[in-house]
Structure formats: structure tokens, C-alpha cells
Amino acid sequence: MEKYQITGSQPLTGEIRVAGAKNAALKILAASILSDKICRVSNIPKIEDIKRMAEILEDLGVKMAWGNSTMEIDPAGLKKSSPDWELTKKLRSSIMLAGPLLARFGEVTMSQPGGCIIGQRPIDLFLAGFKTLGAELFEHNESFTLKAKKLKGAKIVLPKISVTVTESLMMTACLAEGLTTIINAAMEPEIPALADYLNNCGAKIKGAGTPWITIEGVDRLSAGEYELIPDRIEAGSFIMLGLATNSQIKVSNCRPEHLETVLAILKNAGANLEIGPDYIATKPSFLRGTEIQTHEYPGFPTDLQAPFTVLMTQAKGRSLIHETIFEGRLFYTDKLTLMGADIIMCDPHRVIVEGGTKLRGKKLESPDLRAGMALIIAGLCAEGETIIDNIYQIERGYAQVVPRLKNIGAKIEKISG
Ligand code: EPZ
């Protein structure tokens, strides 16, 4: 198994370019099969989750052609309405294929997508939404089948804000008959990005990025072209890396407007940041402990909670981290405690961090994607050597980790062992 070997505690310097947004790319790939015409996506990150989604689509009969950082998708050969069970188990976002396959074939059978370490992550809101659009649901113990001769537009009120449920119902409703409204929709930037792509293909979506989205059904979608937005979570992770290692790094090719709350909280905590139109530069700062609550966009994103917690171990004073979205997203902190951090878990949703602790390198295993990046940041702050195992979890969402971090002076190697 490959691992990362990190030697920490020296400041970094240079520029790191942010890649295209994983959580926009995955949905646009799923939405591409709503049409039978070619779709071209640029600025696509070469990460494991995208490779898995491409494998699932190829198995369904879709032709995928990688360019340098582009992907050409030709769904004309789509021939199956049941994605491969083993492949879908590897990728929770495969649930995004249910709606498009139902809309194209009138039927879809899928295995229940796995949960993951950050929480149980049910799909009840997906299934309820498809039923509201007129589908019949047949549940089996490990899988489900949806059937609908023709989907009918409807009013869908989401009892809980969900990013992928909003995206899934928005894309599916493009081919439903009549008007669909989604009330209490998520507002993450990846949702207007998906709507822009779909409208570019002839859909009629209004209000994406607000809690009220309307979709006027159309008979078919045409070919699409789309340049992915930069990954705001990758940008935020690198900003926190720069601050935690007291470095001067420029995080370029990003959209500061997608990180307003994060930047305000960092500046209130004493971060010395230079914010440009498409970059953010970090400078050595005296950070104070602070309190955050993760929250749906535009609040503090749950995907940046772990990197922020590592940053707070280096700040002066006490911090309270309240993870409100997922029930299992704080358990990685036991690995930071192993490294010398002073963290108390109050309950599965809250930890208190006493800052100003020196971290020492350790042998660790990456529990999930975002906590994995947090452990890299911790390793780069720590004295001595850190070995991180299970790096597939990190490479699911971050492209070219080693070359990009080495390029700003990080002592990191990929070793096998
Ligand atoms: C998306 O996950 C992201 N993933 C997550 O990023 C991100 O953490 C999350 O949104 C929150 O921002 C992708 O976009 C692929 P949710 P999603 O549905 O949509 C509950 C990463 O690291 N819920 O917004 O699955 C759910 O349990 C990943 O890139 C139901 O109850 O998250 C959670 O408590 C991790 N029933 C809450 O909604 C459902 O049917 C919000 O989760 C669906 C969700």
C-alpha cells in the first residue's frame, strides 16, 4: 500500500494552483447522460472519484475520452439502466446516476450506496423526491428500483437541506413534464454551476443558488460545454495549510467569493491574508483560538472543518469546533491527540481545542478524504516524520498532492510499504 512520508515544521513558500471542483465535476458527469449528445467538460481534476465515475459510465455504455484537463463524454451508446454494483459501492456519489437513468429509461435499479466514516448518509430524501416526481419505488434489502413511464413536474419541499438531493432532483426534473419547484434547496456554488451546465444544454432552470429553484421540463437536452469552477474546498485547505505552517504561499486560480465566511472567520482569528480577484496569499500570522459552527452554504463548510481544527491546534488559546452537519466527522481528532494536540471531545458534534501545542510526527491512517488532508497539514506542522497510510482516501479528492506540495517546499514523498 502506498503512503505519504512527511517531514514537517519548516515554512513553505511559492504558488499552488487550485484544481477544478470535484463536487461540481461528479454531478456534471452524472447529468451528461440526460442527453444523448456529446458533452465536453474542461478544468476537470484527475482524481480517483472522477476515475470511478468514468468507469461506472463506461460500463453503462458511455464513451469517455480524457484530454489534458478535459473530458469528452459521448452518451449515445448508453445501453444499461443498472450501474455495476461493485463499482457503485466504491463511490457514494453514484447515487447521482439514479435520476438521469430513470429519466432516460423509465426504470433504474441500483445498490444502496455505502455510507462512509463521516456519517450514515441515508438516501431517503432522494427516494422521496423521485416519488414526488411520479416514480414508483420498490425497495429490496441491498438495492432499490424506481419506475416511471414519464416523470411529472411537482412541488418538492425538502425537510432537510441536502446538496446532492437538490442537485439530483434539479437535474432529473429537466426531463419531467411541466414545472417543478424545489423548496429549501441547498445553495452551494456547485449547484448554480450544475444549473449553468444544464441550461447550456437547453434546460430551463431558474433560482439555482437560492432556496427556491424552478425547473420547466423540456423534451430533450442538447450537447453541452462547461468549464468547471475551481474547488473552493481545495482552496480553503491550502490557505489553512499556509497559515498553520506560518508560510507565505499564494493559492491561485480560486474564487475568494466562494469562501467569504471562511475568510472572515480566519481574519477575525488574526490571519494575515492578501485577497486578490482570483487568489489568496497567506502571510505569517498570530492566530487566536475561535469558535466555529459548520453550516450549509454560505456558512462555514463542513468539508473545511478538519483542516481548520488542525489550524486551531497552532493558534493561541481555546477553540470550540461545532460540526452540525455530520454525526461522525470529528473522530479523526484522536489522531491529532496522538500527535500531541490538546483536544477534548464534548460529544460527537463538538470538540474543544487548546491551542499552542507542538505536534510530533506519527504513523497515521487517513480516515476519510478531508480528514486525510488535515493530517497532511498536521504532518507539515509537526516536528519529525509523519507517515500517512490509506492515501487513496486523500487522492479521491486531491490531484497531484505530492508534486504540488513539493513545489511550495513541502518535504513529502509517496512511498510504498
Ligand atoms: C455533499 O454531500 C458533498 N459531497 C459533501 O462533500 C459535503 O460534505 C456535503 O454535501 C455537505 O456540504 C458531494 O457533493 C459529492 P448532504 P451530501 O446531503 O450531499 C442528510 C467531500 O468530502 N441526508 O448535503 O451527501 C445527510 O445525512 C464530501 O467532498 C439525509 O438525511 O451531503 C446529512 O446529515 C463529503 N437524507 C445532511 O443531509 C438524504 O437522502 C446533509 O448532507 C440525503 C442526505
Side-chain angles (χ1 to χ4, degrees):
M1 291 292 275
E2 293 188 306
K3 306 169 196 269
Y4 289 144
Q5 180 186 46
I6 297 167
T7 308
S9 88
Q10 77 281 336
L12 311 175
T13 172
E15 179 172 335
I16 186 163
R17 254 178 84 78
V18 174
K22 162 178 97 78
N23 289 346
L26 285 169
K27 294 40 170 298
I28 288 175
L29 288 190
S32 66
I33 62 172
L34 283 163
S35 163
D36 57 4
K37 300 285 182 295
I38 285 183
C39 144
R40 286 185 187 81
V41 184
S42 54
N43 194 28
I44 199 157
K46 277 211 164 86
I47 53 178
E48 293 307 318
D49 273 8
I50 300 294
K51 293 174 192 166
R52 294 302 81 74
M53 182 64 92
E55 286 162 8
I56 296 170
L57 289 169
E58 281 168 336
D59 174 73
L60 289 170
V62 178
K63 280 207 188 58
M64 316 288 288
W66 277 103
N68 186 9
S69 62
T70 59
M71 171 80 87
E72 182 176 282
I73 304 133
D74 180 355
L78 181 67
K79 60 183 186 306
K80 273 171 62 178
S81 70
S82 301
D84 177 277
W85 283 35
E86 288 319 306
L87 290 176
T88 51
K89 285 258 177 251
K90 290 182 195 164
L91 184 69
R92 180 183 151 70
S93 316
S94 53
I95 183 69
M96 299 304 297
L97 294 166
L101 290 168
L102 176 64
R104 287 291 303 275
F105 290 103
E107 177 169 346
V108 58
T109 295
M110 286 188 77
S111 61
Q112 298 270 358
C116 63
I117 197 157
I118 65 174
Q120 199 243 342
R121 305 183 78 185
I123 59 167
D124 55 324
L125 301 180
F126 287 89
L127 301 177
F130 293 133
K131 283 168 70 177
T132 308
L133 290 171
E136 264 187 293
L137 171 65
F138 307 90
E139 290 196 271
H140 327 297
N141 54 359
E142 291 274 301
S143 65
F144 65 86
T145 297
L146 289 160
K147 287 185 181 170
K149 279 205 180 27
K150 181 71 185 152
L151 292 166
K152 297 246 180 318
K155 179 171 89 167
I156 302 172
V157 183
L158 294 181
K160 207 174 197 181
I161 295 175
S162 163
V163 173
T164 43
V165 170
T166 300
E167 292 163 331
S168 180
L169 298 176
M170 181 176 79
M171 69 170 78
T172 306
C174 291
L175 296 182
E177 218 160 52
L179 186 70
T180 296
T181 52
I182 301 174
I183 296 168
N184 198 24
M187 301 189 273
E188 272 66 7
E190 292 76 29
I191 294 168
L194 176 63
D196 291 347
Y197 163 74
L198 288 164
N199 286 340
N200 179 283
C201 298
K204 293 181 180 157
I205 300 171
K206 288 201 181 85
T210 78
W212 299 274
I213 301 177
T214 60
I215 305 106
E216 213 181 303
V218 294
D219 292 337
R220 69 183 57 74
L221 294 176
S222 63
E225 299 255 334
Y226 196 71
E227 178 176 341
L228 280 180
I229 56 172
D231 194 312
R232 61 195 166 96
I233 303 303
E234 192 175 78
S237 306
F238 293 150
I239 291 162
M240 292 178 197
L241 165 63
L243 292 168
T245 55
N246 241 356
S247 303
Q248 302 214 41
I249 62 169
K250 181 177 182 181
V251 180
S252 61
N253 184 44
C254 66
R255 292 228 189 137
E257 67 271 25
H258 289 165
L259 287 163
E260 295 287 11
T261 307
V262 173
L263 296 174
I265 287 171
L266 288 172
K267 284 200 283 193
N268 291 347
N272 189 351
L273 299 171
E274 181 197 333
I275 299 172
D278 62 354
Y279 71 87
I280 294 157
T282 68
K283 295 187 172 66
S285 312
F286 290 103
L287 290 168
R288 294 179 297 278
T290 188
E291 178 177 337
I292 62 150
Q293 261 195 353
T294 61
H295 192 276
E296 293 85 359
Y297 192 85
F300 192 99
T302 172
D303 293 349
L304 284 176
Q305 173 260 105
F308 185 82
T309 302
V310 172
L311 179 61
M312 287 299 106
T313 67
Q314 304 306 298
K316 193 163 169 29
R318 181 172 297 172
S319 299
L320 172 66
I321 314 288
H322 184 185
E323 168 57 59
T324 65
I325 311 277
F326 291 110
E327 71 278 13
R329 207 166 198 180
L330 282 168
F331 294 119
Y332 69 91
T333 53
D334 61 351
K335 300 173 193 304
L336 300 182
T337 308
L338 262 182
M339 296 178 82
D342 181 352
I343 298 177
I344 299 163
M345 179 166 275
C346 311
D347 63 40
H349 286 277
R350 262 171 285 254
V351 292
I352 289 175
V353 180
E354 282 301 342
T357 54
K358 198 78 203 105
L359 300 182
R360 292 179 307 280
K362 283 282 176 201
K363 283 189 181 2
L364 305 164
E365 183 167 310
S366 169
D368 69 72
L369 165 61
R370 305 303 177 184
M373 175 49 74
L375 294 181
I376 290 178
I377 297 173
L380 289 170
C381 294
E383 248 151 40
E385 181 180 88
T386 297
I387 301 286
I388 299 179
D389 210 339
N390 194 21
I391 59 173
Y392 175 83
Q393 278 303 321
I394 301 171
E395 297 183 351
R396 283 184 44 212
Y398 296 92
Q400 305 292 315
V401 172
V402 171
R404 284 202 289 170
L405 292 183
K406 285 178 86 162
N407 194 35
I408 54 173
K411 288 197 174 69
I412 179 171
E413 296 297 340
K414 193 188 278 196
I415 59 173
S416 47

